[in-house]
Structure formats: structure tokens, C-alpha cells
Amino acid sequence: TLDFDVVRNLIFQMDPTATVTEQAFTQAQLNGYVSIVKDGKMLVGMGWIFPRQTLLRKQAVIEDLVVDEAYRGKGYGEKILLDLIDWAKQNKIEVIELTTHPGRIAANSLYKKVGFVLHETNHYLLDRR
């Protein structure tokens, strides 16, 4: 079982404005796959992938990939990412997508290292909160 306060802290490191509930975390696990990595018993990183079927193909989206600040640069992010990609292969996902801020240099480098290609597009959001 994961200590939800640790999960909340990881998400806060990624996005200090985010609010995450235990219910949302449970729903994320039910709707896809959450990869976690620990150092001993301590949760130090996680990432989430969820499938979606479009008219064209079976896709998946990677979201919320984060490693605790104290553990970055030790390969944990790559371990999580490769686990998420492996899950997608096992589930016959044709295309995996993710987004990240251009200023997240290490994350962008990691995604390119494992084979992601920057896809030029206009990404729009409609926030209906």
C-alpha cells in the first residue's frame, strides 16, 4: 500500500497548483496503469499511462511522471518510463503520447533518449473547472 501523503508530495513537486485525492488516484489505477519505483520502502517516483481507442488506432497517454527531487538523476525516471512503455506493448498500444513543458530539460532529454519524437502541433486546452 502506498502512503498517499507521499503520492501527494510527488504530484506537488511536479505541479504545486495540483490537487489530487485518494479517489482520483484509485480511479487512475483502475483506468490505466500506475508505475511506481521505490528506494527500499520509500516511494521515490511514479508515472501513469491510460489507454484510449480513437477512430484511427489504439493509443495511450503518459501523464504525471515524476521523481522526487532528492532522487532525480539516478535513472528512476527512465525506469518508470520504460515500464510504462512495456505495459503499452503488452496491451497492443500503437501510439504513445505525452506532453511536457519545454523548460523541463531533463524530462525532454529522457523522452528523446527512449525514442519519443517531438510532434509539432497546436495543443489547446479548455479548462471547465
Side-chain angles (χ1 to χ4, degrees), residues 14 48 50 52 60-66 81 96-104 107-108 111 116-119 121-125:
M14 183 178 58
W48 175 49
F50 66 94
R52 65 179 185 193
V61 179
I62 292 176
E63 292 281 350
D64 306 329
L65 197 158
V66 60
L81 185 58
I96 303 171
E97 73 177 72
L98 57 80
T99 60
T100 191
H101 189 279
R104 292 186 170 146
N108 281 278
Y111 302 144
F116 283 85
V117 177
L118 186 60
H119 178 70
T121 185
N122 294 342
H123 187 178
Y124 296 95
L125 297 175

Side-chain angles (χ1 to χ4, degrees), residues 2 8-9 28 39 43 46 49 52-53 56 59 63 65-66 71 73 78 83 89 93 107 109 115 127:
L2 295 178
R8 188 178 289 129
N9 179 52
D39 182 20
L43 175 68
M46 63 183 207
I49 188 169
R52 65 179 185 193
Q53 178 66 53
L56 302 175
Q59 299 179 321
E63 292 281 350
L65 197 158
V66 60
Y71 292 86
E78 184 172 359
D83 186 41
K89 286 179 185 175
I93 301 296
S109 294
D127 188 343

Side-chain angles (χ1 to χ4, degrees), residues 10-78:
L10 281 173
I11 297 298
F12 182 80
Q13 289 180 36
M14 183 178 58
D15 180 355
T17 67
T19 302
V20 62
T21 64
E22 287 188 66
Q23 180 182 8
F25 184 67
T26 300
Q27 195 64 44
Q29 293 176 63
L30 294 173
N31 290 337
Y33 171 66
V34 177
S35 176
I36 63 168
V37 67
K38 294 182 177 183
D39 182 20
K41 292 185 177 185
M42 178 69 176
L43 175 68
V44 297
M46 63 183 207
W48 175 49
I49 188 169
F50 66 94
R52 65 179 185 193
Q53 178 66 53
T54 70
L55 292 174
L56 302 175
R57 65 189 61 89
K58 189 171 182 182
Q59 299 179 321
V61 179
I62 292 176
E63 292 281 350
D64 306 329
L65 197 158
V66 60
V67 173
D68 187 284
E69 293 167 338
Y71 292 86
R72 291 181 187 163
K74 299 180 180 186
Y76 291 119
E78 184 172 359

